[in-house]
Amino acid sequence: MKSILLIGIGRFGKHIAMQLNAMDHQVMAVDHDEEKINEILPYVTNAQIGDSTNVEFLRSLGVDNYDVCIVTIANDFQSSLETTSLLKELGAKHVLSRAARDVQAKFLLRNGADDIVYPEKQIAKWTAIRYSSNHIRDYIELGEKNAIIEVSVPKSWVGLSIRQLDIRQKYHVNIIAIKQNGSMNTTVTPDMVLTSDEKIFVIGEYKALQKLFHL
């Protein structure tokens, strides 16, 4: 269980709070809008109405006691930037801030953010990859260069073993799991023979996955 300070209760912040609540984490929610705070109360441990750009208000929250501080302020980048900077000045252990554009990410990282989340950009990329192809079932980005994709077994691979395909040497990617009828098998061996009713999880650099599976 972690203690989370969540600043900015818009739609994205509300969804984060609900997910953290479902995972049994302790969440302190902060927003200047009383109505938003009232709406989020069932999903958080505590909540405060206040201005996160006010250093005394932030100090009163004891930001250095939280495992993670998440800044999800939308439509007011100046406030997001000031809040991020103040959190770090007050000793926050880890600050995750929301960005809508690359230039915002650069400013946030220079002013105290340890990590950046791009909700619109990330879901747009996932949607484009997932629904622009009939064979891609899921996509998980791992940093800037690497990813995991869930993909239907290509027809040309059916009936062949992973050893025969030798995709690690040929394409520089690895099969890390196989799913069949909703059951996941993460113990993948070279002698496993692929079938047409299976889905495979493949990890590698995005460029290699793009080339192999025509993303």
Side-chain angles (χ1 to χ4, degrees):
M1 179 189 295
K2 287 191 174 184
S3 58
I4 314 291
L5 175 60
L6 178 63
I7 301 176
I9 312 300
R11 285 176 294 181
F12 182 53
K14 184 177 181 179
H15 282 295
I16 290 177
M18 293 170 69
Q19 289 298 321
L20 290 171
N21 176 68
M23 297 166 69
D24 293 324
H25 293 297
Q26 294 182 334
V27 180
M28 163 66 87
V30 172
D31 200 282
H32 62 83
D33 189 323
E34 182 178 358
E35 185 177 344
K36 290 180 179 179
I37 289 296
N38 289 334
E39 289 178 357
I40 204 65
L41 284 175
Y43 307 104
V44 298
T45 311
N46 290 295
Q48 289 275 357
I49 302 167
D51 178 5
S52 62
T53 65
N54 183 305
V55 65
E56 294 306 322
F57 172 70
L58 279 185
R59 183 177 283 115
S60 72
L61 298 175
V63 300
D64 56 331
N65 295 318
Y66 295 92
D67 296 305
V68 183
C69 297
I70 305 176
V71 182
T72 62
I73 298 171
N75 305 320
D76 188 349
F77 180 66
Q78 182 67 31
S79 292
S80 177
L81 187 63
E82 290 182 25
T83 300
T84 297
S85 180
L86 287 173
L87 285 169
K88 211 61 182 179
E89 288 178 15
L90 292 171
K93 297 183 181 75
H94 194 96
V95 181
L96 171 65
S97 297
R98 172 181 181 165
R101 300 189 299 276
D102 289 341
V103 66
Q104 292 183 354
K106 290 179 181 178
F107 277 109
L108 289 165
L109 289 168
R110 289 174 184 170
N111 287 274
D114 296 294
D115 286 305
I116 299 297
V117 61
Y118 283 92
E120 293 86 359
K121 182 177 180 180
Q122 289 166 336
I123 196 62
K125 187 172 184 179
W126 180 88
T127 302
I129 291 172
R130 168 64 180 84
Y131 291 101
S132 63
S133 174
N134 292 329
H135 61 286
I136 303 297
R137 310 309 303 169
D138 204 353
Y139 170 85
I140 303 170
E141 193 170 87
L142 302 175
E144 296 182 359
K145 294 184 178 181
N146 300 290
I148 299 172
I149 63 169
E150 179 187 353
V151 59
S152 301
V153 175
K155 290 182 180 180
S156 60
W157 293 12
V158 174
L160 298 177
S161 69
I162 294 174
R163 189 194 307 277
Q164 289 174 309
L165 291 169
D166 196 21
I167 63 172
R168 177 182 293 182
Q169 292 299 320
K170 290 180 180 177
Y171 305 107
H172 309 294
V173 300
N174 287 308
I175 297 175
I176 59 172
I178 296 174
K179 184 167 71 174
Q180 186 176 42
N181 299 324
S183 179
M184 185 81 74
N185 182 0
T186 58
T187 308
V188 179
T189 66
D191 295 322
M192 283 185 169
V193 176
L194 300 178
T195 64
S196 60
D197 60 345
E198 292 174 329
K199 305 291 187 299
I200 54 176
F201 290 79
V202 186
I203 187 171
E205 286 196 1
Y206 178 74
K207 289 183 178 179
L209 296 169
Q210 185 180 39
K211 181 178 180 180
L212 178 57
F213 295 108
H214 310 292
L215 301 182

